[in-house]
Amino acid sequence: MSRRYPNDIPQQLIEEALVEIDRVFTTTWLTAPTQDHRLRKLWQRKDVLSTIELYSFGHALTVMNKINAQWVKGQVKIIKDKDDNNRRGAFFEIIGLSQLADSTSYKVIPAPHSQAGFDATIQFSGLPETRLSLKSYGRSIHDRKFEEYGTQLESTLLSLMKKVGLHYAEFIIIYMRDKSPQAEDWEYLQSEMPHLIRRFKRANNRKNGAHFIPLVISFQGWEIRIRQSSRINTVDPRMISYSLLVFAPHHFNECRNLYNKLDAAQANFTKHVKDNSTTNIIFIHVPLTISVNQCEKWTQQYFEDNREATSQMVIFYQCALAHDINEATNTLVHTFYPVQNPSQSIPKQVFHFTAPVGRVSLESTQIQLVIDGVPIPEFSLDSSYMFQRGRYYNKAIKVENGSIEGEINLLAPGIHQASVIELQGQLLVCNGNYEPTDELLIL
């Protein structure tokens, strides 16, 4: 399978970035069994999103090698090691510092690996130094557990749809209570789904005309919506087409994931940075599953509870593949979101954030529920986990000249559209080479 390339980046630049990654890590290492390694997964995938991530990382390697090649070797050694948390941090140090390095008004100097307390220094002309502590806020155990439950529910729904002969349905499931669902809540939801799917199937077997009868029901904190739309006229009845969206509030302890990063950075600044004239900034990578707006609220509360904190600012970085509903286009958005410590003053320093692909923003990327192309603004996802998967199998159509046309598309993150062709009584399913979800592995 050949690699897919985005349309907005010259292929030569991508090839140069891939060559740089190959030079640093070697083909033998990159093509070895993935062993759940982020970089190997990206190298062995061929979709556009993996290509964009690899291009970005290769570009960052090139930038940082020019600044300090020996430091890069140390980071590469960490990336090749077994600890995924350390690997994630090393990726962010390379990428994060490269995003700051394109400036003539200051110098970015990575700290030696033996340096305790901070990860880089920014030297301005005529201003105090800035010390950076870089942290990668990975997905929490609660976030991963939510995804695990969502995957189990997806498997259950597909099995039930096959069992009752329901070839198409869309599910929107929301946990309406103000706390995250526990194991027993998920078990109860699973136990109720056979009855609900049979009920939905019976209702739509009796429908008249093009009117589809949705099922909306609430129990034990869950609100379940099962429906069909005009897609029923295009999906192939011999395949199971579906979409599943599940939303639930964050676990009450989700904020601890961020607080632990802030505590660690703050403790190191206090212990190892004795020069009171320096500016101390915590630069944190945030996963797409956590809203930057929510991180801002948690950080403001952290500074309120820790007035002695010597860090003047936290800058959050989040990268997201954003979809423009009006233009029907996807754009990689790099958000750099500063939150200042109200108890500390900070000199007027100007930082230059750049990215090799996509656009840079100082505003949080909005995560929004969209149904039939219409945003639902009253439903906020800032403090919710979200699970979204689906696959639609559309019937290919014979056109006038006798050829067959079918549409293959990525309808939304995690929701794929395939095309089904019948040739001499055999079904041929044509899938697109798209990313499995919108989760970015190293950006």
Side-chain angles (χ1 to χ4, degrees):
M1 184 183 295
S2 59
R3 178 169 296 282
R4 292 188 64 205
Y5 293 87
N7 297 324
D8 55 347
I9 309 173
Q11 188 167 331
Q12 180 182 347
L13 294 181
I14 296 175
E15 295 295 343
E16 290 172 359
L18 295 177
V19 167
E20 177 68 0
I21 295 173
D22 194 14
R23 181 189 71 80
V24 171
F25 288 89
T26 76
T27 302
T28 301
W29 186 89
L30 290 165
T31 56
T34 64
Q35 297 177 328
D36 207 33
H37 195 289
R38 298 163 185 268
L39 184 57
R40 282 173 169 158
K41 281 184 177 180
L42 287 174
W43 191 263
Q44 293 171 37
R45 277 171 44 187
K46 304 300 179 182
D47 55 87
V48 170
L49 193 57
S50 67
T51 303
I52 291 174
E53 286 207 75
L54 290 170
Y55 167 62
S56 301
F57 182 55
H59 177 271
L61 283 172
T62 301
V63 170
M64 296 310 297
N65 263 317
K66 291 178 181 178
I67 294 174
N68 191 328
Q70 193 62 35
W71 175 84
V72 171
K73 286 183 180 179
Q75 298 301 106
V76 168
K77 184 178 179 180
I78 295 172
I79 290 173
K80 285 185 172 182
D81 207 358
K82 295 180 179 180
D83 190 300
D84 188 55
N85 287 329
N86 291 338
R87 293 191 305 226
R88 192 176 65 246
F91 278 124
F92 180 51
E93 289 193 29
I94 293 172
I95 294 170
L97 293 182
S98 75
Q99 293 168 329
L100 277 165
D102 186 18
S103 175
T104 57
S105 60
Y106 58 77
K107 291 183 179 179
V108 174
I109 303 174
H113 290 284
S114 59
Q115 172 68 58
F118 56 91
D119 300 302
T121 300
I122 298 182
Q123 292 182 344
F124 291 87
S125 176
L127 289 173
E129 288 185 346
T130 292
R131 304 288 170 83
L132 286 180
S133 176
L134 281 80
K135 300 292 182 183
S136 183
Y137 174 169
R139 293 179 63 185
S140 70
I141 188 172
H142 311 297
D143 186 358
R144 294 288 185 187
K145 196 66 179 177
F146 175 82
E147 182 179 44
E148 182 181 321
Y149 281 125
T151 302
Q152 291 171 0
L153 180 61
E154 178 189 22
S155 178
T156 296
L157 295 181
L158 285 170
S159 177
L160 291 170
M161 289 176 69
K162 182 178 181 179
K163 185 175 181 179
V164 304
L166 178 64
H167 76 273
Y168 162 56
E170 298 176 357
F171 302 84
I172 299 177
I173 300 176
I174 305 171
Y175 194 66
M176 302 299 292
R177 294 175 178 169
D178 58 1
K179 63 177 183 177
S180 193
Q182 302 300 302
E184 56 268 25
D185 299 308
W186 288 100
E187 290 169 4
Y188 189 82
L189 174 64
Q190 291 264 16
S191 69
E192 288 295 305
M193 291 314 299
H195 163 69
L196 297 180
I197 288 179
R198 284 194 297 268
R199 180 174 164 183
F200 176 77
K201 176 71 163 55
R202 286 195 301 268
N204 283 278
N205 281 345
R206 297 193 298 267
K207 70 177 179 62
N208 295 316
H211 179 66
F212 308 107
I213 303 173
L215 175 64
V216 181
I217 192 168
S218 299
F219 57 82
Q220 294 290 102
W222 294 103
E223 179 179 288
I224 297 98
R225 297 171 180 263
I226 310 176
R227 64 169 213 155
Q228 292 175 334
S229 69
S230 58
R231 286 186 183 275
I232 198 168
N233 298 317
T234 58
V235 295
D236 194 307
R238 296 164 295 186
M239 309 291 291
I240 295 177
S241 296
Y242 73 101
S243 63
L244 170 63
L245 280 74
V246 188
F247 305 96
H250 286 156
H251 189 275
F252 72 91
N253 214 23
E254 181 66 45
C255 60
R256 287 308 318 169
N257 204 7
L258 174 60
Y259 286 179
N260 289 341
K261 301 298 182 186
L262 297 176
D263 281 341
Q266 188 58 48
N268 282 326
F269 279 142
T270 302
K271 183 177 180 180
H272 298 285
V273 180
K274 303 302 182 181
D275 186 351
N276 293 331
S277 67
T278 63
T279 300
N280 301 326
I281 293 179
I282 306 172
F283 190 16
I284 301 184
H285 177 275
V286 182
L288 185 58
T289 53
I290 300 297
S291 162
V292 171
N293 290 333
Q294 186 64 56
C295 287
E296 178 187 23
K297 295 175 184 177
W298 288 335
T299 304
Q300 289 172 339
Q301 185 61 52
Y302 179 87
F303 283 140
E304 180 69 23
D305 297 338
N306 297 271
R307 294 179 182 272
E308 75 286 355
T310 58
S311 53
Q312 286 90 343
M313 181 182 291
V314 175
I315 299 176
F316 290 104
Y317 168 66
Q318 186 180 69
C319 188
L321 187 65
H323 181 71
D324 188 312
I325 297 173
N326 297 321
E327 300 294 331
T329 57
N330 293 322
T331 305
L332 203 65
V333 178
H334 304 264
T335 296
F336 298 90
Y337 197 92
V339 181
Q340 187 168 348
N341 182 350
S343 300
Q344 295 283 342
S345 60
I346 187 169
K348 290 185 178 180
Q349 301 171 333
V350 178
F351 299 103
H352 299 269
F353 296 106
T354 62
V357 57
R359 63 181 178 86
V360 171
S361 173
L362 297 179
E363 297 180 353
S364 175
T365 302
Q366 186 178 15
I367 304 175
Q368 194 166 58
L369 175 62
V370 178
I371 298 178
D372 293 336
V374 179
I376 311 298
E378 64 272 16
F379 189 83
S380 173
L381 297 176
D382 280 352
S383 57
S384 297
Y385 301 122
M386 179 182 71
F387 179 88
Q388 178 171 271
R389 298 287 188 276
R391 188 169 291 273
Y392 293 96
Y393 294 92
N394 281 19
K395 294 175 290 188
I397 301 172
K398 287 186 177 181
V399 294
E400 290 182 358
N401 62 6
S403 61
I404 300 175
E405 292 184 354
E407 186 175 356
I408 300 170
N409 204 356
L410 179 66
L411 301 176
I415 299 183
H416 298 233
Q417 177 177 288
S419 186
V420 181
I421 301 172
E422 183 174 359
L423 294 175
Q424 298 178 343
Q426 298 294 319
L427 295 184
L428 175 65
V429 178
C430 301
N431 294 293
N433 185 9
Y434 296 108
E435 57 272 15
T437 71
D438 65 338
E439 182 179 8
L440 297 164
L441 298 187
I442 60 177
L443 284 180

PDB file of all heavy atoms in Angstrom, residues 129-133 266 269-270 273 275 278-282 310-314 346:
ATOM      1  N   GLU A 129      16.461  35.842  31.301  1.00  0.00           N
ATOM      2  CA  GLU A 129      16.232  34.556  30.663  1.00  0.00           C
ATOM      3  C   GLU A 129      14.870  33.991  31.050  1.00  0.00           C
ATOM      4  O   GLU A 129      14.326  34.283  32.107  1.00  0.00           O
ATOM      5  CB  GLU A 129      17.313  33.557  31.072  1.00  0.00           C
ATOM      6  CG  GLU A 129      18.672  33.812  30.463  1.00  0.00           C
ATOM      7  CD  GLU A 129      19.658  32.712  30.815  1.00  0.00           C
ATOM      8  OE1 GLU A 129      19.375  31.919  31.727  1.00  0.00           O
ATOM      9  OE2 GLU A 129      20.709  32.669  30.163  1.00  0.00           O
ATOM     10  N   THR A 130      14.354  33.148  30.158  1.00  0.00           N
ATOM     11  CA  THR A 130      13.138  32.390  30.454  1.00  0.00           C
ATOM     12  C   THR A 130      13.503  30.921  30.542  1.00  0.00           C
ATOM     13  O   THR A 130      14.180  30.389  29.666  1.00  0.00           O
ATOM     14  CB  THR A 130      12.075  32.600  29.356  1.00  0.00           C
ATOM     15  OG1 THR A 130      11.608  33.949  29.410  1.00  0.00           O
ATOM     16  CG2 THR A 130      10.886  31.666  29.562  1.00  0.00           C
ATOM     17  N   ARG A 131      13.074  30.301  31.629  1.00  0.00           N
ATOM     18  CA  ARG A 131      13.291  28.873  31.802  1.00  0.00           C
ATOM     19  C   ARG A 131      11.986  28.143  31.472  1.00  0.00           C
ATOM     20  O   ARG A 131      10.919  28.517  31.966  1.00  0.00           O
ATOM     21  CB  ARG A 131      13.722  28.561  33.241  1.00  0.00           C
ATOM     22  CG  ARG A 131      14.976  29.332  33.673  1.00  0.00           C
ATOM     23  CD  ARG A 131      16.216  28.792  32.985  1.00  0.00           C
ATOM     24  NE  ARG A 131      17.376  29.632  33.187  1.00  0.00           N
ATOM     25  CZ  ARG A 131      18.171  29.592  34.262  1.00  0.00           C
ATOM     26  NH1 ARG A 131      17.873  28.768  35.262  1.00  0.00           N
ATOM     27  NH2 ARG A 131      19.225  30.355  34.340  1.00  0.00           N
ATOM     28  N   LEU A 132      12.108  27.119  30.661  1.00  0.00           N
ATOM     29  CA  LEU A 132      10.936  26.340  30.244  1.00  0.00           C
ATOM     30  C   LEU A 132      10.964  24.954  30.861  1.00  0.00           C
ATOM     31  O   LEU A 132      11.978  24.254  30.800  1.00  0.00           O
ATOM     32  CB  LEU A 132      10.893  26.180  28.718  1.00  0.00           C
ATOM     33  CG  LEU A 132      10.512  27.370  27.855  1.00  0.00           C
ATOM     34  CD1 LEU A 132      10.543  26.954  26.380  1.00  0.00           C
ATOM     35  CD2 LEU A 132       9.138  27.898  28.206  1.00  0.00           C
ATOM     36  N   SER A 133       9.836  24.552  31.422  1.00  0.00           N
ATOM     37  CA  SER A 133       9.630  23.162  31.826  1.00  0.00           C
ATOM     38  C   SER A 133       8.587  22.580  30.894  1.00  0.00           C
ATOM     39  O   SER A 133       7.454  23.071  30.841  1.00  0.00           O
ATOM     40  CB  SER A 133       9.150  23.088  33.277  1.00  0.00           C
ATOM     41  OG  SER A 133       8.864  21.749  33.636  1.00  0.00           O
ATOM     42  N   GLN A 266       6.594  22.824  39.145  1.00  0.00           N
ATOM     43  CA  GLN A 266       6.743  23.837  40.174  1.00  0.00           C
ATOM     44  C   GLN A 266       7.803  23.449  41.199  1.00  0.00           C
ATOM     45  O   GLN A 266       8.624  24.263  41.623  1.00  0.00           O
ATOM     46  CB  GLN A 266       5.391  24.055  40.877  1.00  0.00           C
ATOM     47  CG  GLN A 266       5.380  25.221  41.852  1.00  0.00           C
ATOM     48  CD  GLN A 266       5.753  26.517  41.179  1.00  0.00           C
ATOM     49  OE1 GLN A 266       5.223  26.857  40.118  1.00  0.00           O
ATOM     50  NE2 GLN A 266       6.694  27.240  41.752  1.00  0.00           N
ATOM     51  N   PHE A 269      11.261  23.966  39.643  1.00  0.00           N
ATOM     52  CA  PHE A 269      11.616  25.388  39.592  1.00  0.00           C
ATOM     53  C   PHE A 269      12.064  25.861  40.980  1.00  0.00           C
ATOM     54  O   PHE A 269      13.077  26.545  41.127  1.00  0.00           O
ATOM     55  CB  PHE A 269      10.430  26.231  39.129  1.00  0.00           C
ATOM     56  CG  PHE A 269      10.226  26.252  37.633  1.00  0.00           C
ATOM     57  CD1 PHE A 269       8.948  26.230  37.093  1.00  0.00           C
ATOM     58  CD2 PHE A 269      11.301  26.320  36.757  1.00  0.00           C
ATOM     59  CE1 PHE A 269       8.735  26.266  35.722  1.00  0.00           C
ATOM     60  CE2 PHE A 269      11.111  26.354  35.377  1.00  0.00           C
ATOM     61  CZ  PHE A 269       9.823  26.326  34.861  1.00  0.00           C
ATOM     62  N   THR A 270      11.301  25.507  41.998  1.00  0.00           N
ATOM     63  CA  THR A 270      11.591  25.959  43.359  1.00  0.00           C
ATOM     64  C   THR A 270      12.940  25.443  43.844  1.00  0.00           C
ATOM     65  O   THR A 270      13.714  26.164  44.480  1.00  0.00           O
ATOM     66  CB  THR A 270      10.481  25.500  44.321  1.00  0.00           C
ATOM     67  OG1 THR A 270       9.217  26.016  43.870  1.00  0.00           O
ATOM     68  CG2 THR A 270      10.748  25.975  45.735  1.00  0.00           C
ATOM     69  N   VAL A 273      15.958  26.456  40.400  1.00  0.00           N
ATOM     70  CA  VAL A 273      16.109  27.770  39.774  1.00  0.00           C
ATOM     71  C   VAL A 273      16.162  28.804  40.891  1.00  0.00           C
ATOM     72  O   VAL A 273      15.139  29.189  41.458  1.00  0.00           O
ATOM     73  CB  VAL A 273      14.940  28.080  38.801  1.00  0.00           C
ATOM     74  CG1 VAL A 273      15.145  29.444  38.170  1.00  0.00           C
ATOM     75  CG2 VAL A 273      14.881  27.010  37.721  1.00  0.00           C
ATOM     76  N   ASP A 275      17.752  31.869  40.603  1.00  0.00           N
ATOM     77  CA  ASP A 275      17.814  33.246  40.094  1.00  0.00           C
ATOM     78  C   ASP A 275      16.401  33.807  40.012  1.00  0.00           C
ATOM     79  O   ASP A 275      15.608  33.420  39.150  1.00  0.00           O
ATOM     80  CB  ASP A 275      18.486  33.254  38.720  1.00  0.00           C
ATOM     81  CG  ASP A 275      18.711  34.669  38.197  1.00  0.00           C
ATOM     82  OD1 ASP A 275      18.198  35.624  38.822  1.00  0.00           O
ATOM     83  OD2 ASP A 275      19.393  34.815  37.173  1.00  0.00           O
ATOM     84  N   THR A 278      14.744  35.355  36.629  1.00  0.00           N
ATOM     85  CA  THR A 278      14.303  34.584  35.469  1.00  0.00           C
ATOM     86  C   THR A 278      12.781  34.488  35.427  1.00  0.00           C
ATOM     87  O   THR A 278      12.096  34.624  36.438  1.00  0.00           O
ATOM     88  CB  THR A 278      14.880  33.156  35.492  1.00  0.00           C
ATOM     89  OG1 THR A 278      14.375  32.478  36.637  1.00  0.00           O
ATOM     90  CG2 THR A 278      16.389  33.176  35.519  1.00  0.00           C
ATOM     91  N   THR A 279      12.281  34.243  34.228  1.00  0.00           N
ATOM     92  CA  THR A 279      10.857  33.947  34.043  1.00  0.00           C
ATOM     93  C   THR A 279      10.699  32.443  33.920  1.00  0.00           C
ATOM     94  O   THR A 279      11.410  31.799  33.151  1.00  0.00           O
ATOM     95  CB  THR A 279      10.327  34.625  32.769  1.00  0.00           C
ATOM     96  OG1 THR A 279      10.505  36.034  32.868  1.00  0.00           O
ATOM     97  CG2 THR A 279       8.839  34.327  32.582  1.00  0.00           C
ATOM     98  N   ASN A 280       9.791  31.882  34.692  1.00  0.00           N
ATOM     99  CA  ASN A 280       9.567  30.434  34.689  1.00  0.00           C
ATOM    100  C   ASN A 280       8.240  30.123  34.016  1.00  0.00           C
ATOM    101  O   ASN A 280       7.187  30.562  34.491  1.00  0.00           O
ATOM    102  CB  ASN A 280       9.563  29.886  36.115  1.00  0.00           C
ATOM    103  CG  ASN A 280      10.866  30.163  36.851  1.00  0.00           C
ATOM    104  OD1 ASN A 280      11.933  30.169  36.235  1.00  0.00           O
ATOM    105  ND2 ASN A 280      10.780  30.416  38.143  1.00  0.00           N
ATOM    106  N   ILE A 281       8.283  29.363  32.937  1.00  0.00           N
ATOM    107  CA  ILE A 281       7.081  29.033  32.172  1.00  0.00           C
ATOM    108  C   ILE A 281       6.957  27.519  32.033  1.00  0.00           C
ATOM    109  O   ILE A 281       7.944  26.831  31.735  1.00  0.00           O
ATOM    110  CB  ILE A 281       7.104  29.691  30.782  1.00  0.00           C
ATOM    111  CG1 ILE A 281       7.005  31.223  30.926  1.00  0.00           C
ATOM    112  CG2 ILE A 281       5.951  29.179  29.912  1.00  0.00           C
ATOM    113  CD1 ILE A 281       7.045  31.964  29.606  1.00  0.00           C
ATOM    114  N   ILE A 282       5.763  27.015  32.256  1.00  0.00           N
ATOM    115  CA  ILE A 282       5.471  25.594  32.067  1.00  0.00           C
ATOM    116  C   ILE A 282       4.764  25.443  30.720  1.00  0.00           C
ATOM    117  O   ILE A 282       3.725  26.076  30.487  1.00  0.00           O
ATOM    118  CB  ILE A 282       4.591  25.050  33.201  1.00  0.00           C
ATOM    119  CG1 ILE A 282       5.214  25.350  34.571  1.00  0.00           C
ATOM    120  CG2 ILE A 282       4.386  23.545  33.045  1.00  0.00           C
ATOM    121  CD1 ILE A 282       4.314  25.015  35.741  1.00  0.00           C
ATOM    122  N   THR A 310       5.920  29.809  41.817  1.00  0.00           N
ATOM    123  CA  THR A 310       6.831  30.784  41.218  1.00  0.00           C
ATOM    124  C   THR A 310       6.776  30.802  39.691  1.00  0.00           C
ATOM    125  O   THR A 310       7.423  31.648  39.069  1.00  0.00           O
ATOM    126  CB  THR A 310       8.278  30.499  41.656  1.00  0.00           C
ATOM    127  OG1 THR A 310       8.625  29.167  41.276  1.00  0.00           O
ATOM    128  CG2 THR A 310       8.433  30.667  43.160  1.00  0.00           C
ATOM    129  N   SER A 311       6.064  29.879  39.092  1.00  0.00           N
ATOM    130  CA  SER A 311       5.923  29.903  37.629  1.00  0.00           C
ATOM    131  C   SER A 311       4.966  31.034  37.248  1.00  0.00           C
ATOM    132  O   SER A 311       3.880  31.156  37.798  1.00  0.00           O
ATOM    133  CB  SER A 311       5.409  28.566  37.111  1.00  0.00           C
ATOM    134  OG  SER A 311       4.230  28.194  37.775  1.00  0.00           O
ATOM    135  N   GLN A 312       5.400  31.863  36.315  1.00  0.00           N
ATOM    136  CA  GLN A 312       4.590  33.020  35.924  1.00  0.00           C
ATOM    137  C   GLN A 312       3.479  32.673  34.945  1.00  0.00           C
ATOM    138  O   GLN A 312       2.490  33.394  34.848  1.00  0.00           O
ATOM    139  CB  GLN A 312       5.482  34.111  35.311  1.00  0.00           C
ATOM    140  CG  GLN A 312       6.323  34.871  36.314  1.00  0.00           C
ATOM    141  CD  GLN A 312       7.680  34.249  36.544  1.00  0.00           C
ATOM    142  OE1 GLN A 312       7.900  33.080  36.201  1.00  0.00           O
ATOM    143  NE2 GLN A 312       8.608  34.993  37.120  1.00  0.00           N
ATOM    144  N   MET A 313       3.659  31.566  34.222  1.00  0.00           N
ATOM    145  CA  MET A 313       2.688  31.275  33.161  1.00  0.00           C
ATOM    146  C   MET A 313       2.702  29.800  32.804  1.00  0.00           C
ATOM    147  O   MET A 313       3.736  29.129  32.917  1.00  0.00           O
ATOM    148  CB  MET A 313       3.001  32.105  31.904  1.00  0.00           C
ATOM    149  CG  MET A 313       2.049  31.906  30.739  1.00  0.00           C
ATOM    150  SD  MET A 313       2.537  32.888  29.288  1.00  0.00           S
ATOM    151  CE  MET A 313       2.194  34.549  29.884  1.00  0.00           C
ATOM    152  N   VAL A 314       1.549  29.312  32.381  1.00  0.00           N
ATOM    153  CA  VAL A 314       1.434  27.995  31.767  1.00  0.00           C
ATOM    154  C   VAL A 314       0.985  28.213  30.329  1.00  0.00           C
ATOM    155  O   VAL A 314       0.038  28.972  30.075  1.00  0.00           O
ATOM    156  CB  VAL A 314       0.420  27.103  32.511  1.00  0.00           C
ATOM    157  CG1 VAL A 314       0.239  25.771  31.774  1.00  0.00           C
ATOM    158  CG2 VAL A 314       0.866  26.859  33.950  1.00  0.00           C
ATOM    159  N   ILE A 346       5.107  39.315  34.922  1.00  0.00           N
ATOM    160  CA  ILE A 346       5.920  38.715  33.858  1.00  0.00           C
ATOM    161  C   ILE A 346       6.388  39.813  32.914  1.00  0.00           C
ATOM    162  O   ILE A 346       5.620  40.720  32.561  1.00  0.00           O
ATOM    163  CB  ILE A 346       5.118  37.633  33.093  1.00  0.00           C
ATOM    164  CG1 ILE A 346       6.006  36.886  32.114  1.00  0.00           C
ATOM    165  CG2 ILE A 346       3.903  38.216  32.394  1.00  0.00           C
ATOM    166  CD1 ILE A 346       5.352  35.644  31.529  1.00  0.00           C
TER     167      ILE A 346
END
